[in-house]
Amino acid sequence: MLREPTSRFLSEFYESYDGWEADPRFGTWPRLEHGCSTLLNSSMRKIAVDGIDNVKKAQYDLLFDSWLNCPVNQAANRQTRALSFQPTLTMQRRSGARRCGEKEEPSGSPLCADARAGEQEECAVRVAQSTLLQFTFFGLTEERCKSELLFEVCEPADKQPPQDVTHDIPFA
């Protein structure tokens, strides 16, 4: 299941202005030394670092345009990068982050290595689309019930798991 792209993007903005990669609570690699908040003036930086839980939503929302235009905004194209097999390569290029001892990798999807300069992102979108088309089915987590109903209609009953299967793991 995929997250609806707009909802996912906005949830990252409201969860952590600097992104999962810059927030030590998340421990997401590649670790950023300098997040988007370092590009703000001191009063706006304080709002960004303190987070939405410590200011009024209207104040936090003033940060949105600068977040959208931040060159190290890790939320930008996150799902496309993942589906085109380039999550760490792109982040190395954008953030300069590398694991200790690693050499710098070429940027972009390895499947787009032959694409001309300026065509890498378009190629990555085509690779991501192709990846999605290889799945039997995908849905949106925000529309889980509708996605499940659509799956039941699209998939023949003989391809679905037996109904008497029990799961030891409770679902949240």
Side-chain angles (χ1 to χ4, degrees):
M1 295 287 253
L2 298 174
R3 297 268 326 266
E4 191 280 319
T6 304
S7 297
R8 184 208 52 78
F9 192 70
L10 290 173
S11 75
E12 281 200 50
F13 170 68
Y14 288 114
E15 190 162 323
S16 172
Y17 184 85
D18 283 329
W20 301 332
E21 292 80 1
D23 193 322
R25 295 175 299 166
F26 301 113
T28 304
W29 189 87
R31 185 92 175 105
L32 283 180
E33 290 184 33
H34 305 290
C36 293
S37 65
T38 61
L39 304 173
L40 298 170
N41 66 46
S42 60
S43 63
M44 296 303 275
R45 183 178 312 120
K46 180 168 177 23
I47 293 170
V49 171
D50 288 350
I52 193 168
D53 294 335
N54 298 303
V55 295
K56 293 182 176 160
K57 183 179 181 302
Q59 286 179 294
Y60 195 83
D61 285 347
L62 294 173
L63 299 169
F64 192 67
D65 286 340
S66 59
W67 185 73
L68 282 176
N69 296 308
C70 176
V72 293
N73 181 340
Q74 304 296 289
N77 296 320
R78 187 182 296 279
Q79 288 180 308
T80 301
R81 289 191 316 270
L83 290 166
S84 63
F85 312 105
Q86 65 170 343
T88 59
L89 301 180
T90 299
M91 289 304 92
Q92 284 178 3
R93 177 176 51 85
R94 288 176 71 193
S95 68
R98 286 191 289 284
R99 291 184 189 212
C100 187
E102 269 188 339
K103 295 180 181 175
E104 185 169 351
E105 297 280 346
S107 64
S109 171
L111 301 174
C112 296
D114 295 332
R116 291 186 212 137
E119 295 177 358
Q120 293 273 337
E121 286 188 33
E122 183 180 329
C123 178
V125 169
R126 288 195 314 270
V127 171
Q129 288 171 332
S130 176
T131 301
L132 284 175
L133 291 173
Q134 292 177 39
F135 286 104
T136 303
F137 178 85
F138 65 90
L140 299 176
T141 56
E142 290 82 359
E143 297 291 341
R144 185 184 59 81
C145 291
K146 290 178 183 175
S147 294
E148 287 177 12
L149 289 172
L150 183 60
F151 175 76
E152 290 171 7
V153 170
C154 293
E155 287 294 312
D158 63 338
K159 287 189 174 182
Q160 293 183 26
Q163 296 301 314
D164 61 345
V165 173
T166 58
H167 299 281
D168 295 328
I169 302 170
F171 294 99

